[in-house]
Amino acid sequence: MKRFAGVADAVLPTSGLVVLAYHRVGGEGTSQMDLPLDRFRDQMARLADTARVLSLDQALDEFAAERTGSDPAVALTFDDGTADFAEHVVGVLDEFELPATVYVATEPVLTGERWPDGAAPLSAEALTEVSGHRLVTIGCHTHAHLLLDRERPSGVAADLDRSIEVLTELTGSPPEHFAYPKALAPSLQNDALVRERFVSAAVAGTRPNRVGRTDPYRLARSPIQRSDTPRDVAHKFAGGMRLEDDVRRLVQRVTYRAART
């Protein structure tokens, strides 16, 4: 599928802002979302050499002004808020002067409960520390990692407000950016709740976000996986591999059909 997706890039549009989605870096597991540290560092070195890497705020400013630069534009994002972000990712961001947003699910931060893949969450102290880093933006990923395509609006509102409360207490300011758990787009009612609270929201979709055509509450993100070859990664950095994600989302509709988080 990755090979066919790369071929399809020749006929699909790839210009625009590419938002990359990472999860784990430097772990010992074999999860598709857990990259070896050396591979991650190599990818960041490539980005620093080949693209304009923008903070999410800078990217949204360009969208609001309906302008783009001549070089490829990329924004880095990380999901969940796991301990490896502080332990491994921040040092690499420093090395290459790359801004990034980390979307934090706050309940694990408070409880210390590990993620289903075994990853440890950021501690409250580590979250406070990374939030003050000049290259890091803290975003919201709900409190309990709820799937917002199926939850009742009353429960979603309470969950979002709790997450905002925790993040504000630990970082000193409310989060402005949001990423949907599992990248699943919300119900209409829950979409409205997110729009009331944030200035952007990210969903699935391995494709570029095009100025004048992309809703900032539907930012598409390109997930980087352990199985991606250097060629696959290069395609994703350039806004390609859309076909792969289209197939993945069809599978996810079945995989997460009965799930809530």
Side-chain angles (χ1 to χ4, degrees):
M1 179 53 63
K2 290 180 184 292
R3 183 177 62 189
F4 291 139
V7 172
D9 291 344
V11 296
L12 294 171
T14 59
S15 62
L17 170 72
V18 177
V19 183
L20 299 174
Y22 287 87
H23 285 72
R24 316 284 187 257
V25 173
E28 300 298 325
T30 58
S31 165
Q32 281 295 315
M33 296 294 103
D34 193 345
L35 293 185
L37 179 57
D38 59 348
R39 192 183 304 181
F40 174 71
R41 185 188 177 280
D42 288 345
Q43 291 177 9
M44 295 303 99
R46 181 188 180 97
L47 271 184
D49 285 342
T50 61
R52 286 189 309 134
V53 182
L54 308 176
S55 71
L56 205 49
D57 288 319
Q58 290 171 326
L60 291 171
D61 285 346
E62 289 198 357
F63 267 67
E66 296 194 357
R67 70 177 189 272
T68 56
S70 57
D71 297 326
V74 174
L76 285 169
T77 66
F78 296 79
D79 277 13
D80 301 336
T82 46
D84 58 278
F85 184 82
E87 294 168 358
H88 300 305
V89 174
V90 171
V92 179
L93 298 179
D94 265 333
E95 182 179 358
F96 296 106
E97 289 288 317
L98 300 176
T101 296
V102 55
Y103 296 108
V104 179
T106 47
E107 186 172 60
V109 173
L110 298 182
T111 65
E113 183 176 353
R114 288 180 175 266
W115 288 82
D117 62 0
L122 283 166
S123 67
E125 295 76 15
L127 175 55
T128 298
E129 182 175 352
V130 298
S131 71
H133 194 285
R134 59 192 176 84
L135 294 172
V136 175
T137 298
I138 304 297
C140 177
H141 201 40
T142 74
H143 184 61
H145 203 258
L146 297 180
L147 304 185
L148 269 61
D149 64 331
R150 62 203 66 184
E151 286 292 319
R152 293 180 180 274
S154 58
V156 169
D159 179 277
L160 293 177
D161 289 342
R162 177 57 176 152
S163 186
I164 292 169
E165 178 184 43
V166 172
L167 289 174
T168 302
E169 179 180 346
L170 293 178
T171 72
S173 60
E176 295 189 327
H177 307 290
F178 180 79
Y180 286 98
K182 305 295 187 186
L184 296 175
S187 65
L188 288 176
Q189 297 94 328
N190 291 335
D191 172 79
L193 295 174
V194 168
R195 290 174 186 265
E196 289 171 1
R197 290 163 171 79
F198 305 99
V199 301
S200 78
V203 291
T206 304
R207 65 200 68 193
N209 296 279
R210 305 179 73 184
V211 171
R213 300 187 183 185
T214 298
D215 179 352
Y217 291 93
R218 287 293 186 277
L219 290 176
R221 293 194 297 162
S222 302
I224 304 298
Q225 300 170 298
R226 195 183 189 101
S227 60
D228 287 332
T229 66
R231 181 182 176 86
D232 297 333
V233 172
H235 276 287
K236 289 183 178 182
F237 283 2
M241 302 294 282
R242 173 174 176 169
L243 181 60
E244 178 195 29
D245 188 74
D246 288 344
V247 173
R248 181 188 300 114
R249 282 190 288 165
L250 289 174
V251 173
Q252 285 179 334
R253 289 179 185 175
V254 176
T255 303
Y256 302 134
R257 182 169 51 197
R260 294 186 62 240
T261 65

